[in-house]
Amino acid sequence: MKPTDKRFWNRCGNAVNELFFWLFIAFAVLLTIDLWCMLATAIVCLFDSGLKSLTLLKIFGAYGIILILFSNFTLWLTMYSPMIYKRLVSVIWSKRLRPLYFLTLGYVNVYLLNLYYIRFRYSQYELTQYRVNVIYSVLVMFPIINIPVYIAAIRSNEQQVSLGYAAKLYMQGRLATYLIQKDYSSLINDGNEQ
């Protein structure tokens, strides 16, 4: 196979996308472990105000921020691959997310918001070169702080969702899932066009 062959470069691109997808999975799993360790350490800190447990909580917090950045960055790189995006969105459509909500302490909603809003708001080039609204690309990574991104996603949605119903879904941790399931066919069609 010649290096100028288009199929060769497509295969290389698919291999790189798969690599970043598995890196995303690895970082997401490590983040989940870190979140549970941080929760356990916070509970210990409530009953024992020792310096060791507080230091451990700070270490888990620092690792958590690093893992949040890496997991979101690798998701941003992989979600522009139509094959991987379709695989991720089909999991959401099939409603197999309940264990993920529990395991990730709800952080999976951040990834879902990335898949729903950021992917169609910005191109991959704009996102990786930071030629985007940096406020949204930073806010989206952190729960509760990402409420303005949810509001922007709801406003950009063709079929409006009432504020009360959106707030109810957000409190239940199902707003991003609802938005993706509601626009599933258009998201898949848009993904195939890109």
PDB file of all heavy atoms in Angstrom, residues 97-109 112 172-178:
ATOM      1  N   LEU A  97     -27.969   3.547  30.206  1.00  0.00           N
ATOM      2  CA  LEU A  97     -27.094   4.456  30.937  1.00  0.00           C
ATOM      3  C   LEU A  97     -27.250   4.422  32.451  1.00  0.00           C
ATOM      4  O   LEU A  97     -26.444   4.989  33.157  1.00  0.00           O
ATOM      5  CB  LEU A  97     -27.326   5.894  30.474  1.00  0.00           C
ATOM      6  CG  LEU A  97     -26.848   6.205  29.075  1.00  0.00           C
ATOM      7  CD1 LEU A  97     -27.209   7.629  28.724  1.00  0.00           C
ATOM      8  CD2 LEU A  97     -25.367   6.015  28.950  1.00  0.00           C
ATOM      9  N   ARG A  98     -28.293   3.783  32.955  1.00  0.00           N
ATOM     10  CA  ARG A  98     -28.538   3.817  34.401  1.00  0.00           C
ATOM     11  C   ARG A  98     -27.324   3.384  35.220  1.00  0.00           C
ATOM     12  O   ARG A  98     -26.954   4.059  36.186  1.00  0.00           O
ATOM     13  CB  ARG A  98     -29.760   2.979  34.740  1.00  0.00           C
ATOM     14  CG  ARG A  98     -30.178   3.177  36.176  1.00  0.00           C
ATOM     15  CD  ARG A  98     -31.578   2.758  36.392  1.00  0.00           C
ATOM     16  NE  ARG A  98     -32.455   3.704  35.708  1.00  0.00           N
ATOM     17  CZ  ARG A  98     -33.730   3.529  35.526  1.00  0.00           C
ATOM     18  NH1 ARG A  98     -34.309   2.443  35.961  1.00  0.00           N
ATOM     19  NH2 ARG A  98     -34.459   4.424  34.911  1.00  0.00           N
ATOM     20  N   PRO A  99     -26.627   2.280  34.876  1.00  0.00           N
ATOM     21  CA  PRO A  99     -25.429   1.928  35.662  1.00  0.00           C
ATOM     22  C   PRO A  99     -24.330   2.986  35.566  1.00  0.00           C
ATOM     23  O   PRO A  99     -23.618   3.226  36.531  1.00  0.00           O
ATOM     24  CB  PRO A  99     -24.957   0.606  35.042  1.00  0.00           C
ATOM     25  CG  PRO A  99     -26.112   0.074  34.292  1.00  0.00           C
ATOM     26  CD  PRO A  99     -26.947   1.247  33.895  1.00  0.00           C
ATOM     27  N   LEU A 100     -24.229   3.644  34.397  1.00  0.00           N
ATOM     28  CA  LEU A 100     -23.191   4.670  34.235  1.00  0.00           C
ATOM     29  C   LEU A 100     -23.449   5.879  35.124  1.00  0.00           C
ATOM     30  O   LEU A 100     -22.511   6.498  35.617  1.00  0.00           O
ATOM     31  CB  LEU A 100     -23.093   5.106  32.776  1.00  0.00           C
ATOM     32  CG  LEU A 100     -22.434   4.128  31.830  1.00  0.00           C
ATOM     33  CD1 LEU A 100     -22.456   4.661  30.411  1.00  0.00           C
ATOM     34  CD2 LEU A 100     -21.014   3.830  32.256  1.00  0.00           C
ATOM     35  N   TYR A 101     -24.710   6.251  35.316  1.00  0.00           N
ATOM     36  CA  TYR A 101     -25.015   7.369  36.209  1.00  0.00           C
ATOM     37  C   TYR A 101     -24.521   7.073  37.617  1.00  0.00           C
ATOM     38  O   TYR A 101     -23.926   7.920  38.270  1.00  0.00           O
ATOM     39  CB  TYR A 101     -26.522   7.639  36.257  1.00  0.00           C
ATOM     40  CG  TYR A 101     -27.072   8.259  35.012  1.00  0.00           C
ATOM     41  CD1 TYR A 101     -28.115   7.657  34.329  1.00  0.00           C
ATOM     42  CD2 TYR A 101     -26.566   9.443  34.519  1.00  0.00           C
ATOM     43  CE1 TYR A 101     -28.631   8.222  33.179  1.00  0.00           C
ATOM     44  CE2 TYR A 101     -27.068  10.011  33.376  1.00  0.00           C
ATOM     45  CZ  TYR A 101     -28.102   9.400  32.709  1.00  0.00           C
ATOM     46  OH  TYR A 101     -28.599   9.959  31.576  1.00  0.00           O
ATOM     47  N   PHE A 102     -24.768   5.857  38.076  1.00  0.00           N
ATOM     48  CA  PHE A 102     -24.343   5.490  39.417  1.00  0.00           C
ATOM     49  C   PHE A 102     -22.826   5.393  39.509  1.00  0.00           C
ATOM     50  O   PHE A 102     -22.210   5.942  40.425  1.00  0.00           O
ATOM     51  CB  PHE A 102     -24.983   4.153  39.817  1.00  0.00           C
ATOM     52  CG  PHE A 102     -24.490   3.642  41.134  1.00  0.00           C
ATOM     53  CD1 PHE A 102     -24.890   4.233  42.318  1.00  0.00           C
ATOM     54  CD2 PHE A 102     -23.596   2.588  41.190  1.00  0.00           C
ATOM     55  CE1 PHE A 102     -24.424   3.777  43.541  1.00  0.00           C
ATOM     56  CE2 PHE A 102     -23.121   2.118  42.406  1.00  0.00           C
ATOM     57  CZ  PHE A 102     -23.541   2.712  43.585  1.00  0.00           C
ATOM     58  N   LEU A 103     -22.212   4.706  38.544  1.00  0.00           N
ATOM     59  CA  LEU A 103     -20.760   4.475  38.605  1.00  0.00           C
ATOM     60  C   LEU A 103     -19.965   5.770  38.519  1.00  0.00           C
ATOM     61  O   LEU A 103     -18.938   5.920  39.169  1.00  0.00           O
ATOM     62  CB  LEU A 103     -20.323   3.527  37.491  1.00  0.00           C
ATOM     63  CG  LEU A 103     -20.761   2.075  37.638  1.00  0.00           C
ATOM     64  CD1 LEU A 103     -20.403   1.285  36.407  1.00  0.00           C
ATOM     65  CD2 LEU A 103     -20.130   1.453  38.871  1.00  0.00           C
ATOM     66  N   THR A 104     -20.424   6.711  37.713  1.00  0.00           N
ATOM     67  CA  THR A 104     -19.668   7.962  37.521  1.00  0.00           C
ATOM     68  C   THR A 104     -20.151   9.081  38.431  1.00  0.00           C
ATOM     69  O   THR A 104     -19.720  10.220  38.273  1.00  0.00           O
ATOM     70  CB  THR A 104     -19.765   8.436  36.059  1.00  0.00           C
ATOM     71  OG1 THR A 104     -21.131   8.718  35.752  1.00  0.00           O
ATOM     72  CG2 THR A 104     -19.213   7.418  35.098  1.00  0.00           C
ATOM     73  N   LEU A 105     -21.051   8.768  39.352  1.00  0.00           N
ATOM     74  CA  LEU A 105     -21.641   9.774  40.246  1.00  0.00           C
ATOM     75  C   LEU A 105     -22.250  10.926  39.442  1.00  0.00           C
ATOM     76  O   LEU A 105     -22.170  12.084  39.810  1.00  0.00           O
ATOM     77  CB  LEU A 105     -20.601  10.304  41.244  1.00  0.00           C
ATOM     78  CG  LEU A 105     -20.029   9.285  42.205  1.00  0.00           C
ATOM     79  CD1 LEU A 105     -18.909   9.891  43.036  1.00  0.00           C
ATOM     80  CD2 LEU A 105     -21.105   8.722  43.110  1.00  0.00           C
ATOM     81  N   GLY A 106     -22.833  10.594  38.296  1.00  0.00           N
ATOM     82  CA  GLY A 106     -23.504  11.572  37.454  1.00  0.00           C
ATOM     83  C   GLY A 106     -22.613  12.296  36.470  1.00  0.00           C
ATOM     84  O   GLY A 106     -23.100  13.090  35.667  1.00  0.00           O
ATOM     85  N   TYR A 107     -21.304  12.043  36.488  1.00  0.00           N
ATOM     86  CA  TYR A 107     -20.411  12.789  35.591  1.00  0.00           C
ATOM     87  C   TYR A 107     -20.634  12.438  34.120  1.00  0.00           C
ATOM     88  O   TYR A 107     -20.269  13.203  33.241  1.00  0.00           O
ATOM     89  CB  TYR A 107     -18.945  12.564  35.969  1.00  0.00           C
ATOM     90  CG  TYR A 107     -18.045  13.585  35.298  1.00  0.00           C
ATOM     91  CD1 TYR A 107     -17.933  14.863  35.818  1.00  0.00           C
ATOM     92  CD2 TYR A 107     -17.373  13.297  34.123  1.00  0.00           C
ATOM     93  CE1 TYR A 107     -17.159  15.826  35.192  1.00  0.00           C
ATOM     94  CE2 TYR A 107     -16.597  14.250  33.495  1.00  0.00           C
ATOM     95  CZ  TYR A 107     -16.493  15.511  34.028  1.00  0.00           C
ATOM     96  OH  TYR A 107     -15.746  16.465  33.397  1.00  0.00           O
ATOM     97  N   VAL A 108     -21.265  11.315  33.836  1.00  0.00           N
ATOM     98  CA  VAL A 108     -21.541  10.928  32.460  1.00  0.00           C
ATOM     99  C   VAL A 108     -22.370  11.999  31.746  1.00  0.00           C
ATOM    100  O   VAL A 108     -22.279  12.150  30.530  1.00  0.00           O
ATOM    101  CB  VAL A 108     -22.210   9.532  32.399  1.00  0.00           C
ATOM    102  CG1 VAL A 108     -23.636   9.589  32.885  1.00  0.00           C
ATOM    103  CG2 VAL A 108     -22.150   8.949  31.008  1.00  0.00           C
ATOM    104  N   ASN A 109     -23.152  12.781  32.492  1.00  0.00           N
ATOM    105  CA  ASN A 109     -23.937  13.863  31.887  1.00  0.00           C
ATOM    106  C   ASN A 109     -23.060  14.902  31.208  1.00  0.00           C
ATOM    107  O   ASN A 109     -23.463  15.509  30.216  1.00  0.00           O
ATOM    108  CB  ASN A 109     -24.817  14.537  32.936  1.00  0.00           C
ATOM    109  CG  ASN A 109     -26.015  13.695  33.288  1.00  0.00           C
ATOM    110  OD1 ASN A 109     -26.669  13.168  32.407  1.00  0.00           O
ATOM    111  ND2 ASN A 109     -26.280  13.568  34.560  1.00  0.00           N
ATOM    112  N   LEU A 112     -22.246  13.531  27.867  1.00  0.00           N
ATOM    113  CA  LEU A 112     -23.427  13.581  27.009  1.00  0.00           C
ATOM    114  C   LEU A 112     -23.664  14.998  26.492  1.00  0.00           C
ATOM    115  O   LEU A 112     -24.045  15.188  25.339  1.00  0.00           O
ATOM    116  CB  LEU A 112     -24.657  13.087  27.772  1.00  0.00           C
ATOM    117  CG  LEU A 112     -24.620  11.648  28.247  1.00  0.00           C
ATOM    118  CD1 LEU A 112     -25.885  11.305  29.020  1.00  0.00           C
ATOM    119  CD2 LEU A 112     -24.422  10.692  27.102  1.00  0.00           C
ATOM    120  N   GLN A 172     -32.977  15.523  37.963  1.00  0.00           N
ATOM    121  CA  GLN A 172     -32.959  14.061  37.899  1.00  0.00           C
ATOM    122  C   GLN A 172     -31.716  13.541  37.200  1.00  0.00           C
ATOM    123  O   GLN A 172     -31.485  12.339  37.173  1.00  0.00           O
ATOM    124  CB  GLN A 172     -34.196  13.545  37.165  1.00  0.00           C
ATOM    125  CG  GLN A 172     -35.490  13.801  37.882  1.00  0.00           C
ATOM    126  CD  GLN A 172     -36.697  13.428  37.042  1.00  0.00           C
ATOM    127  OE1 GLN A 172     -36.607  13.192  35.840  1.00  0.00           O
ATOM    128  NE2 GLN A 172     -37.853  13.389  37.680  1.00  0.00           N
ATOM    129  N   GLY A 173     -30.920  14.439  36.590  1.00  0.00           N
ATOM    130  CA  GLY A 173     -29.719  14.034  35.869  1.00  0.00           C
ATOM    131  C   GLY A 173     -30.016  13.438  34.509  1.00  0.00           C
ATOM    132  O   GLY A 173     -29.215  12.673  33.977  1.00  0.00           O
ATOM    133  N   ARG A 174     -31.159  13.820  33.913  1.00  0.00           N
ATOM    134  CA  ARG A 174     -31.557  13.225  32.647  1.00  0.00           C
ATOM    135  C   ARG A 174     -31.716  14.236  31.523  1.00  0.00           C
ATOM    136  O   ARG A 174     -32.203  13.893  30.451  1.00  0.00           O
ATOM    137  CB  ARG A 174     -32.889  12.490  32.832  1.00  0.00           C
ATOM    138  CG  ARG A 174     -32.816  11.305  33.749  1.00  0.00           C
ATOM    139  CD  ARG A 174     -34.141  10.571  33.896  1.00  0.00           C
ATOM    140  NE  ARG A 174     -35.128  10.925  32.901  1.00  0.00           N
ATOM    141  CZ  ARG A 174     -36.407  11.175  33.169  1.00  0.00           C
ATOM    142  NH1 ARG A 174     -36.838  11.131  34.402  1.00  0.00           N
ATOM    143  NH2 ARG A 174     -37.261  11.476  32.221  1.00  0.00           N
ATOM    144  N   LEU A 175     -31.282  15.467  31.704  1.00  0.00           N
ATOM    145  CA  LEU A 175     -31.520  16.490  30.688  1.00  0.00           C
ATOM    146  C   LEU A 175     -30.725  16.232  29.414  1.00  0.00           C
ATOM    147  O   LEU A 175     -31.270  16.294  28.306  1.00  0.00           O
ATOM    148  CB  LEU A 175     -31.206  17.878  31.240  1.00  0.00           C
ATOM    149  CG  LEU A 175     -31.457  19.056  30.295  1.00  0.00           C
ATOM    150  CD1 LEU A 175     -32.894  19.056  29.792  1.00  0.00           C
ATOM    151  CD2 LEU A 175     -31.134  20.370  30.980  1.00  0.00           C
ATOM    152  N   ALA A 176     -29.440  15.933  29.529  1.00  0.00           N
ATOM    153  CA  ALA A 176     -28.621  15.674  28.334  1.00  0.00           C
ATOM    154  C   ALA A 176     -29.119  14.433  27.604  1.00  0.00           C
ATOM    155  O   ALA A 176     -29.197  14.419  26.369  1.00  0.00           O
ATOM    156  CB  ALA A 176     -27.156  15.518  28.718  1.00  0.00           C
ATOM    157  N   THR A 177     -29.481  13.400  28.344  1.00  0.00           N
ATOM    158  CA  THR A 177     -30.020  12.191  27.725  1.00  0.00           C
ATOM    159  C   THR A 177     -31.314  12.501  26.987  1.00  0.00           C
ATOM    160  O   THR A 177     -31.524  12.035  25.864  1.00  0.00           O
ATOM    161  CB  THR A 177     -30.294  11.113  28.801  1.00  0.00           C
ATOM    162  OG1 THR A 177     -29.127  10.940  29.580  1.00  0.00           O
ATOM    163  CG2 THR A 177     -30.696   9.802  28.186  1.00  0.00           C
ATOM    164  N   TYR A 178     -32.164  13.300  27.599  1.00  0.00           N
ATOM    165  CA  TYR A 178     -33.433  13.675  26.978  1.00  0.00           C
ATOM    166  C   TYR A 178     -33.193  14.427  25.672  1.00  0.00           C
ATOM    167  O   TYR A 178     -33.846  14.157  24.658  1.00  0.00           O
ATOM    168  CB  TYR A 178     -34.247  14.526  27.954  1.00  0.00           C
ATOM    169  CG  TYR A 178     -35.487  15.117  27.349  1.00  0.00           C
ATOM    170  CD1 TYR A 178     -36.638  14.351  27.184  1.00  0.00           C
ATOM    171  CD2 TYR A 178     -35.508  16.447  26.919  1.00  0.00           C
ATOM    172  CE1 TYR A 178     -37.779  14.902  26.621  1.00  0.00           C
ATOM    173  CE2 TYR A 178     -36.646  16.996  26.359  1.00  0.00           C
ATOM    174  CZ  TYR A 178     -37.774  16.216  26.211  1.00  0.00           C
ATOM    175  OH  TYR A 178     -38.899  16.758  25.647  1.00  0.00           O
TER     176      TYR A 178
END
